[in-house]
Amino acid sequence: MNGPFDFTLSLGDDALIAAQRLGEWATRAPEMEEDIALANIALDQLGAARLLLSYAGELEGAGRDEDALAYLRDDRQFRNCLLVELPNGDFAVTMAKLLFLSAYQLPLYSALTGCADERLAAIGGKTRKESAYHLDHASLWVRRLGDGTDESHRRMQDAVDQVWPYVHELFTADPAAPVDPATLRADFDTRVTAVLDEATLTRPTDGWAPAGGRDGVHTEHLSFLLAEMQVLHRAHPGAQW
Amino acid sequence: MSERSERTDRLSVTEHSPLWEVFVRARRGLSHTHVGSLHAPDAELALRNARDLYTRRQEGVSIWVVPAAAITASSPDEKDAFFDPAADKVYRHPTFYDVPDGVSHL
């Protein structure tokens, strides 16, 4: 990555793909109240994505708006982290993904509020409050599932183990970016470790650390996700919606 | 959270998520008003759900959640005895009493 355009685009893509995955839960959550909560969080992520992608389009100066960036790029041109494109799995996997994503987004957006770029600082100010809520929600469920029944404990530990390798990519150093993600790792570790401890879960050991999302090298899941997300836009290029 | 539960029997969703009644005081409101009910596994999640469902996460509102089972309601059958002001008893009316001389502002 280099410069504010790539940085802004990658954050926007993180939020967009996270929103798409969370949207898949609509009408499928364990209870009605959770359905509404997940839809709320998906809408927050989509709102952040629109702000970030719109600004990325302006930074690029090539006339691409939020829709062009969302619907007219293929998987090799997306810059989201691999974590957000992983399938939802069971409820525990979704909550593990949300915990890790929001524990990264919260310090990131908070740091943005102090950066020199006024637009990014304003976006950070708005999105940081939403991220705090997402982190709270995911933490509650990880604690309940981890410290619940034997079955929920087993599934939550499996989910954490399964998703953990994908968190390392989030903190790849990028000194040229408005906020260097490497500086956020300590904050992430503190928050996540506290939740895992309280949930009676074991923090996985660091080993395999897949990466590539920031360079457009994704898992096989992203192209399927984009095919569904983009189908109508690509079938009717240039239409007004 | 409490210690790990020893229960291994399968519970239904409704047993997992009992009913809660929700009372909300609006930002400039004077008292809590009953706004509805919801299902949640425990009080903490009931509060979070109530915020999503009934307050849209507005700042400055106060929420009370109460397990529906903790509420005792008056019975509709007892309505007469409960709420009838007993207007037939003349001594309940303030007009029954003579006001002594010299008492003002009554």
Side-chain angles (χ1 to χ4, degrees), chain A residues 43-76:
Chain A
L43 284 170
D44 286 346
Q45 294 284 354
L46 188 64
R50 294 186 61 185
L51 291 170
L52 289 159
L53 292 179
S54 297
Y55 185 44
E58 289 174 38
L59 286 170
E60 186 188 36
R64 291 202 286 183
D65 63 2
E66 54 181 300
D67 281 356
L69 286 170
Y71 294 117
L72 300 175
R73 284 181 298 150
D74 63 22
D75 59 328
R76 292 305 301 267

Side-chain angles (χ1 to χ4, degrees), chain B residues 12-66:
Chain B
S12 70
V13 168
T14 48
E15 280 177 287
H16 270 308
S17 290
L19 190 67
W20 301 76
E21 299 297 336
V22 183
F23 301 80
V24 171
R25 183 167 59 76
R27 198 181 315 192
R28 285 187 289 278
L30 291 171
S31 59
H32 286 73
T33 308
H34 181 246
V35 292
S37 57
L38 52 80
H39 287 276
D42 54 50
E44 201 178 7
L45 271 165
L47 266 185
R48 301 307 198 284
N49 290 341
R51 182 176 54 172
D52 283 352
L53 288 164
Y54 294 112
T55 72
R56 304 288 177 85
R57 290 187 239 146
Q58 279 180 61
E59 266 78 36
V61 295
S62 164
I63 304 172
W64 290 345
V65 289
V66 183

Side-chain angles (χ1 to χ4, degrees), chain A residues 82-144:
Chain A
L82 302 180
L83 171 72
V84 294
E85 71 198 45
L86 298 176
N88 285 333
D90 64 9
F91 189 67
V93 171
T94 291
M95 284 302 135
K97 282 175 62 185
L98 185 61
L99 174 69
F100 298 150
L101 178 67
S102 51
Y104 152 76
Q105 284 179 329
L106 179 57
L108 175 60
Y109 292 150
S110 300
L112 273 189
T113 59
C115 82
D117 185 317
E118 279 184 17
R119 272 286 283 283
L120 285 178
I123 292 171
K126 179 184 185 299
T127 52
R128 143 175 92 168
K129 280 184 284 188
E130 295 167 352
S131 282
Y133 167 76
H134 305 167
L135 181 61
D136 175 69
H137 189 83
S139 304
L140 279 172
W141 274 115
V142 170
R143 290 207 304 264
R144 272 163 184 69

